[in-house]
Coordinates of all heavy atoms in Angstrom, one line a residue:
L253 N 57.8 108.7 186.5 CA 56.5 108.5 187.1 C 55.5 109.5 186.6 O 55.9 110.6 186.0 CB 56.5 108.7 188.7 CG 57.5 107.7 189.4 CD1 57.7 108.1 190.8 CD2 57.0 106.3 189.3
L254 N 54.2 109.3 186.7 CA 53.2 110.1 186.2 C 52.3 110.6 187.3 O 51.8 109.8 188.1 CB 52.3 109.4 185.1 CG 51.5 110.3 184.1 CD1 52.5 111.2 183.3 CD2 50.7 109.4 183.2
L255 N 52.1 111.9 187.4 CA 51.2 112.5 188.4 C 49.9 112.9 187.7 O 49.9 113.4 186.6 CB 51.8 113.7 189.1 CG 53.2 113.5 189.8 CD1 53.6 114.8 190.4 CD2 53.0 112.4 190.9
R256 N 48.8 112.8 188.5 CA 47.5 113.2 187.9 C 47.3 114.7 188.3 O 46.2 115.1 188.6 CB 46.4 112.4 188.6 CG 46.4 110.9 188.2 CD 45.3 110.3 189.0 NE 45.2 108.8 188.8 CZ 44.5 108.0 189.4 NH1 43.7 108.4 190.4 NH2 44.5 106.7 189.2
T257 N 48.3 115.5 188.1 CA 48.2 116.9 188.4 C 48.9 117.7 187.3 O 50.0 117.4 186.9 CB 49.0 117.2 189.8 OG1 48.5 116.4 190.8 CG2 48.8 118.7 190.2
P258 N 48.2 118.7 186.8 CA 48.8 119.5 185.7 C 50.1 120.2 186.2 O 50.2 120.6 187.4 CB 47.7 120.6 185.4 CG 46.5 120.0 185.9 CD 46.8 119.2 187.1
L259 N 51.0 120.5 185.3 CA 52.3 121.1 185.6 C 52.1 122.5 186.3 O 52.8 122.8 187.2 CB 53.2 121.2 184.4 CG 54.6 121.8 184.6 CD1 55.4 121.0 185.6 CD2 55.3 121.9 183.3
K260 N 51.1 123.2 185.8 CA 50.9 124.6 186.3 C 50.6 124.6 187.8 O 51.0 125.5 188.5 CB 49.8 125.3 185.5 CG 48.4 124.7 185.7 CD 47.4 125.4 184.9 CE 46.0 124.8 185.0 NZ 44.9 125.6 184.3
E261 N 49.9 123.5 188.3 CA 49.6 123.4 189.7 C 50.9 123.1 190.5 O 51.1 123.6 191.6 CB 48.5 122.4 190.0 CG 47.2 122.8 189.5 CD 46.1 121.9 190.0 OE1 46.4 121.1 190.9 OE2 45.0 121.9 189.5
I262 N 51.7 122.2 189.9 CA 53.0 121.9 190.6 C 53.9 123.0 190.7 O 54.6 123.3 191.7 CB 53.6 120.7 189.9 CG1 52.7 119.4 190.0 CG2 55.0 120.4 190.4 CD1 53.2 118.2 189.2
I263 N 54.0 123.8 189.6 CA 54.9 125.0 189.6 C 54.7 125.9 190.7 O 55.6 126.4 191.4 CB 54.8 125.7 188.2 CG1 55.4 124.9 187.1 CG2 55.5 127.0 188.3 CD1 55.2 125.5 185.7
S264 N 53.4 126.1 191.0 CA 53.0 127.1 192.1 C 53.5 126.6 193.4 O 53.5 127.4 194.4 CB 51.5 127.3 192.1 OG 50.8 126.1 192.5
Q265 N 53.8 125.3 193.6 CA 54.2 124.8 194.9 C 55.7 124.5 195.0 O 56.2 124.1 196.0 CB 53.5 123.5 195.1 CG 52.0 123.6 195.1 CD 51.2 122.3 195.2 OE1 51.3 121.7 196.3 NE2 50.6 121.9 194.2
L266 N 56.5 124.8 193.9 CA 57.9 124.5 193.9 C 58.7 125.8 194.4 O 58.2 126.9 194.2 CB 58.4 124.1 192.5 CG 57.8 122.8 191.9 CD1 58.3 122.7 190.5 CD2 58.3 121.6 192.8
D267 N 59.9 125.6 194.9 CA 60.7 126.6 195.3 C 61.4 127.2 194.0 O 62.1 126.5 193.3 CB 61.8 126.1 196.2 CG 62.7 127.2 196.8 OD1 62.8 128.3 196.2 OD2 63.4 127.0 197.8
P268 N 61.1 128.5 193.7 CA 61.6 129.1 192.4 C 63.1 129.2 192.4 O 63.7 129.4 191.3 CB 60.9 130.4 192.4 CG 60.5 130.8 193.8 CD 60.2 129.4 194.5
E269 N 63.7 129.2 193.6 CA 65.2 129.2 193.6 C 65.8 127.9 193.2 O 67.0 127.9 192.7 CB 65.7 129.6 195.0 CG 65.2 131.0 195.5 CD 65.8 132.1 194.7 OE1 67.0 132.0 194.3 OE2 65.1 133.1 194.4
K270 N 65.1 126.8 193.4 CA 65.6 125.5 193.1 C 65.1 124.9 191.8 O 65.8 124.0 191.2 CB 65.2 124.5 194.2 CG 65.9 124.8 195.6 CD 65.5 123.8 196.6 CE 66.1 124.1 197.9 NZ 65.7 123.1 199.0
F271 N 63.9 125.4 191.3 CA 63.4 124.8 190.1 C 63.1 126.0 189.1 O 62.3 126.9 189.5 CB 62.1 124.0 190.4 CG 62.4 122.7 191.0 CD1 62.5 122.6 192.4 CD2 62.5 121.6 190.3 CE1 62.7 121.4 193.0 CE2 62.8 120.3 190.9 CZ 62.9 120.3 192.3
W272 N 63.6 125.9 187.9 CA 63.4 126.9 186.9 C 62.5 126.3 185.8 O 62.8 125.2 185.3 CB 64.7 127.3 186.3 CG 65.6 128.1 187.2 CD1 65.3 128.5 188.5 CD2 66.9 128.6 186.9 NE1 66.3 129.2 189.1 CE2 67.3 129.3 188.1 CE3 67.7 128.6 185.8 CZ2 68.6 129.9 188.2 CZ3 69.0 129.2 185.9 CH2 69.4 129.9 187.1
Q273 N 61.6 127.1 185.4 CA 60.8 126.8 184.2 C 61.6 127.2 183.0 O 62.1 128.3 182.8 CB 59.5 127.5 184.1 CG 58.6 127.0 183.0 CD 57.1 127.5 183.1 OE1 56.8 128.3 184.0 NE2 56.3 126.9 182.3
V274 N 61.9 126.2 182.0 CA 62.7 126.5 180.9 C 62.0 126.4 179.6 O 62.5 126.6 178.5 CB 64.0 125.6 180.9 CG1 64.9 125.8 182.1 CG2 63.6 124.1 180.8
H275 N 60.7 125.9 179.7 CA 59.9 125.8 178.6 C 58.4 125.8 179.1 O 58.2 125.6 180.3 CB 60.2 124.4 177.9 CG 59.6 124.3 176.5 ND1 58.3 123.9 176.3 CD2 60.1 124.4 175.3 CE1 58.0 123.9 175.0 NE2 59.1 124.2 174.3
R276 N 57.5 126.0 178.2 CA 56.1 126.0 178.7 C 55.7 124.7 179.4 O 54.9 124.7 180.3 CB 55.1 126.2 177.5 CG 53.7 126.3 177.8 CD 52.8 126.6 176.7 NE 52.9 125.6 175.6 CZ 52.2 125.6 174.5 NH1 51.5 126.7 174.2 NH2 52.4 124.6 173.6
G277 N 56.3 123.6 178.9 CA 56.0 122.3 179.5 C 57.1 121.7 180.3 O 57.1 120.4 180.5
T278 N 58.2 122.4 180.7 CA 59.3 121.8 181.3 C 59.8 122.7 182.5 O 60.0 123.9 182.3 CB 60.5 121.6 180.3 OG1 60.0 120.9 179.2 CG2 61.6 120.8 181.0
V279 N 60.0 122.0 183.6 CA 60.6 122.7 184.8 C 61.8 121.8 185.2 O 61.7 120.6 185.4 CB 59.6 122.8 185.9 CG1 60.3 123.4 187.2 CG2 58.5 123.7 185.5

Side-chain angles (χ1 to χ4, degrees):
L253 301 168
L254 199 64
L255 301 182
R256 296 176 182 171
T257 307
L259 182 61
K260 64 180 181 179
E261 288 189 17
I262 294 175
I263 291 174
S264 67
Q265 302 176 68
L266 296 173
D267 185 340
E269 297 295 323
K270 295 182 178 180
F271 288 87
W272 290 359
Q273 186 166 12
V274 298
H275 195 279
R276 183 176 61 181
T278 310
V279 175

